[in-house]
């Protein structure tokens, strides 16, 4: 009996720490046991058979197994031994009365057997029953006793009595017989002689009264589908079936069902006819798919889904919802306060909807006094408004939701935004550094249909730029890669007639030409402003040149403002929302629907999917919806999402979303195998690209190591049914409107798989960070980057020209967003630029040492993390290099948007793992 205890780890049952030494005796056939030599330094897990492998804990090398001798032992009756489950549950920080009552009820009923029940499932099949070996049911102990603990995490235990031939546990089922859901973080099984078995869960477990099925969790041992142990095969398939939606049913907030749908929930025709919006997705207007909610159609349009308005939550699968800390950060954000407290009250109390800034001092007051005072609301009037107490007390506290922090763009040089060099620098080191292209043909040519949109030729002529080329001809400048362009012409022109017909919206389709100076900086040398041929101006195209006197200075500043407004719209609607938010959601849906949690590629992608579906649902609810913040604050208004859809149809290509491919496509780099990243930048001091290529390479090396570990040959990729189903569904359902395009990579070899996965990780992490977390630091001062313009630039023969000449500053500010539009926009970008305290950054993972049992992969991940820290140090060094004028100089903001780490708040740096805001 003593020997039996040693075999089964019986002496370890009372221990709470992990096993420090290893003696393994595992079942071999029916009647034999494997005796494995004592391992002192590292625990090893021994494969039971060629196909059925035991779990490998994080600190173990599987290679140690190879030298293990097999010793036959006479058949012996199975011994019983105990193992212990340590279950970590994360408590809710905030509970309303109902939560407290139900929790108290659960603690009482737990004592009489309505409790949390676990059952272990072996990787092996029982030869008698032909079913997976299962343990007895084991209830969590002391739930009622610990129910009032205030700790963030509480550990519970349960004990199992197993036969010695049970084998290695590969799954555990959890039944919640309480009334309330709970968040299960991890389960660790202690008492096996080969060491603890880890189950990373990180999931909400619902009450069986709402979801009768047992929840299934797998150990941290990854398996390709054809390697799945026999004891786990049916559970692997069942878990996927349980969460894979079939296009039917109305989803409850507690569901874990993943399914696809079109964007038919942006409008609200039941509320007002002018709030109807077209469906995005389908043959008519191609668009990526989003998560299906199953809500009923509207009364007025059977094809439009009824809306759930903020603050009521919209459906995403339960585990995709914000955790408490994140939810608190978002809910407490300035955007929420301004949208739901301040603006409705102001609209109801004063006629301030078109209140304009009278001078630049008024804008400064938003940072020193707040919007209430800027609107002229004195103490007496503020007290009369039906505002929350926090708003009414703003003047007393001198802080609050309507007083903004000074954006970084003003922190070093208050007037930097007026300078041409800063205007140009932001095209390569600002919040939208992914639009600038090398100019290869002059004058530039439109790709739009001339029958509909007029002549394709630009109004730009050689005489417009010749004087700024340092003695070169235009052809010489083109050949020497000295000319660059920010071209928003084709994105806007098809929509301009409709946009300019809106009240208080005026826009051009702009092109801006830059010249690369000998210092490595860019200089704007001409701006083309285009209107449709039927536009209100007598001339549909005009060219504005840099200033030569006072009048042309103001005209030039207005032209730059229109360029910035174009750029702000393309940035938000195309590069940010479409390319990182909307285009990733189909891949996330397919990952959950087609790949088991034990699939190694699921484990790779898991941290890069966190919160994305929830933030996209929030965006559909109050940002990109009809009359949402984007429509209210950006020039395109109600046509904003149609511009996004037009870009998806005409220019989005998954194979061009990798950073190297994008740089080459835009002519900013050329292939060069002698260079570190396989390409040569034609603009050497391009902060986004130089930092980005380092991050890209680090991600690619990590992904390649990972893929090569699990797929040593291409046949494994081709025969991986879950992987192939994932990619097929991502392309043919999630991006079904573009599925016939020839540019989709085929998933038939390691290089292509590495490319696809690296692109997804890049988009979710670094690309999103570069486009998102500088929005308030760079755009929080509205004149520097106005999201909306309300007036065109007057021509000399127009009546408005005299008004402009009489008071150019007043005219300039009247073209800017109104005070409330500016406030709403500032609140939005402040909110979007904020890191939550629970942010997980690139190179970090939950349960970092046990998210997988594969030690080689753990080691590779730590190397990846170390490489990111090295890159961060190099970025800090570059930001101090005065030779790099696009990131270092008097009044120049350092480029930190691709520095991997950050603290919470608005920091203008940090790369979260996922699109989480």
């Amino acid at each position: 009996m003593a020997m039996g205890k040693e075999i089964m780890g019986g002496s370890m049952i009372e221990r709470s720490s992990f096993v420090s030494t290893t003696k393994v005796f595992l079942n071999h056939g029916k009647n034999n046991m494997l005796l494995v030599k004592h391992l002192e330094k590292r625990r090893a897990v021994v494969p039971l058979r060629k196909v059925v492998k035991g779990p490998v804990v994080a600190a173990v090398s599987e290679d140690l197994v190879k030298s293990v001798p097999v010793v036959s032992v006479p058949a012996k009756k199975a011994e019983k031994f105990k193992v212990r489950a340590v279950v970590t549950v994360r408590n809710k920080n905030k509970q309303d009365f109902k939560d407290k009552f139900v929790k108290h009820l659960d603690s009482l009923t737990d004592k009489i057997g309505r409790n949390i029940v676990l059952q272990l499932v072996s990787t092996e099949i029982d030869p008698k029953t032909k079913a997976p070996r299962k343990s007895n049911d084991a209830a969590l102990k002391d739930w009622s006793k610990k129910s009032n603990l205030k700790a963030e995490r509480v550990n519970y235990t349960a004990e199992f009595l197993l036969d010695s031939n049970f084998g290695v546990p590969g799954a555990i089922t959890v039944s919640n017989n309480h009334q309330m859901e709970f968040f299960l973080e991890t389960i660790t099984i202690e008492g096996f002689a080969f060491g603890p078995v880890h189950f990373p869960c990180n999931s909400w477990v619902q009450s069986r009264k709402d979801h009768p099925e047992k929840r299934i969790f797998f150990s941290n041992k990854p398996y390709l589908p054809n390697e799945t142990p026999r004891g786990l095969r049916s559970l692997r398939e069942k878990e996927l079936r349980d969460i894979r939606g079939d296009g039917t049913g109305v989803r409850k907030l507690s569901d874990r069902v993943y399914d696809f749908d079109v964007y038919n929930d942006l409008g609200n025709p039941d509320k007002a006819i002018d709030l109807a919006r077209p469906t995005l997705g389908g043959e008519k207007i191609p668009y990526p798919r989003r998560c299906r909610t199953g809500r009923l159609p509207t009364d007025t349009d059977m094809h439009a889904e009824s809306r759930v308005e903020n603050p009521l939550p919209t459906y995403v699968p339960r585990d995709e919802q914000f955790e408490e800390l994140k939810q608190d950060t978002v809910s407490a954000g300035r955007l929420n306060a301004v949208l739901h407290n301040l603006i409705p009250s102001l609209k109801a109390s004063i006629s301030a909807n078109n209140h304009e800034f009278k001078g630049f001092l008024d804008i400064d007051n938003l940072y020193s006094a707040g919007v209430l005072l800027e609107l002229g609301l004195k103490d007496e009037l503020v007290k009369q408004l039906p505002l929350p107490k926090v708003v009414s007390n703003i003047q007393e506290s001198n802080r609050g939701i309507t007083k903004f922090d000074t954006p970084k763009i003003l922190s070093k040089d208050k007037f930097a935004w007026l300078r041409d060099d800063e205007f140009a620098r932001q095209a390569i080191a600002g919040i939208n550094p992914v639009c600038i292209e090398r100019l290869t043909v002059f004058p530039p040519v439109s790709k739009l249909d001339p029958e509909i949109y007029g002549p394709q030729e630009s109004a730009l002529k050689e005489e417009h730029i010749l004087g700024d080329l340092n003695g070169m001809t235009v052809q010489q400048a083109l050949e020497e890669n000295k000319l660059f362009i920010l071209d928003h012409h084709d994105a806007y022109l098809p929509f301009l007639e409709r946009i300019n017909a809106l009240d208080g919206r005026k826009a051009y389709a702009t092109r801006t030409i830059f010249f690369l100076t000998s210092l490595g900086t860019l200089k704007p040398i001409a701006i083309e402003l285009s209107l449709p041929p039927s536009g209100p101006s007598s001339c549909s195209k005009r060219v504005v040149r840099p200033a030569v006197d006072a009048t042309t200075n103001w005209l030039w500043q207005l032209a730059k403002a229109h360029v910035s407004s174009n750029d702000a719209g393309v940035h938000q609607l195309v590069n940010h929302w479409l390319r990182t938010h909307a285009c990733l959601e189909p891949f996330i849906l397919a990952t959950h629907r087609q790949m088991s949690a034990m699939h190694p590629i699921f484990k790779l992608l898991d941290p890069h999917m966190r919160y994305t579906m929830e933030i996209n649902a929030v965006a559909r609810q109050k940002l990109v919806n009809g009359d949402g913040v984007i429509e209210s604050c950006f020039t395109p208004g109600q046509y904003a999402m149609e511009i996004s859809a037009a870009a998806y149809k005409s220019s989005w290509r998954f194979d061009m979303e990798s950073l190297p491919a994008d740089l080459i496509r835009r002519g900013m780099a050329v292939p060069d195998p002698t260079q570190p990243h396989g390409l040569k930048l034609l603009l050497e001091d391009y902060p986004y690209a130089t930092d980005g290529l380092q991050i890209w390479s680090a991600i690619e090396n990590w992904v390649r190591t990972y893929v090569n570990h699990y797929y040593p040959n291409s046949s494994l990729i081709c025969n991986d049914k879950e992987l192939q189903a994932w990619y097929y569904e991502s392309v043919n359902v999630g991006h079904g409107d573009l599925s016939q395009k020839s540019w989709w990579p085929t998933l038939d070899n390691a290089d292509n798989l590495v490319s696809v996965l690296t692109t997804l990780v890049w988009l979710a992490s670094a690309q999103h960070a570069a486009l998102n977390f500088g929005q308030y630091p760079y755009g929080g001062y509205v004149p520097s980057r106005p999201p909306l313009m309300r007036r065109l630039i007057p021509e000399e023969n127009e009546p408005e020209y005299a008004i402009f000449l009489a008071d150019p500053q007043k005219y300039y500010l009247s073209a800017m967003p109104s005070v409330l539009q500016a406030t709403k926009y500032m609140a939005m970008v402040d909110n979007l630029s904020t890191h939550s305290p629970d942010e997980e950054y690139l190179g970090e993972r939950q349960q970092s040492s046990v998210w997988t049992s594969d030690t080689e992969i753990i080691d590779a991940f730590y190397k990846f993390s170390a490489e990111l820290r090295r890159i961060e140090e190099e970025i800090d060094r570059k930001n101090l290099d005065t030779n790099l004028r696009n990131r270092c100089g008097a009044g120049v903001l350092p480029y930190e948007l691709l520095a991997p780490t950050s603290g919470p708040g608005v920091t203008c740096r940090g790369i979260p793992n996922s699109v989480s805001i």
Side-chain angles (χ1 to χ4, degrees), residues 130-147:
K130 307 300 181 185
R133 286 196 173 106
K134 295 180 181 179
S135 72
N136 58 299
D137 286 347
L140 287 194
K141 296 179 179 179
D142 299 330
W143 186 278
S144 58
K145 188 184 296 184
K146 296 181 179 180
S147 63

Side-chain angles (χ1 to χ4, degrees), residues 12 36 113 115 139 173 271 350 356 369 415 541 568 578 676 738 808 815 846 864 877:
M12 303 170 200
V36 183
N115 42 27
T173 63
K271 185 176 181 181
I350 60 173
E356 296 175 359
F415 302 105
K541 296 181 181 181
L578 172 67
L738 300 181
Q846 293 183 6
F864 170 54
R877 180 191 59 75

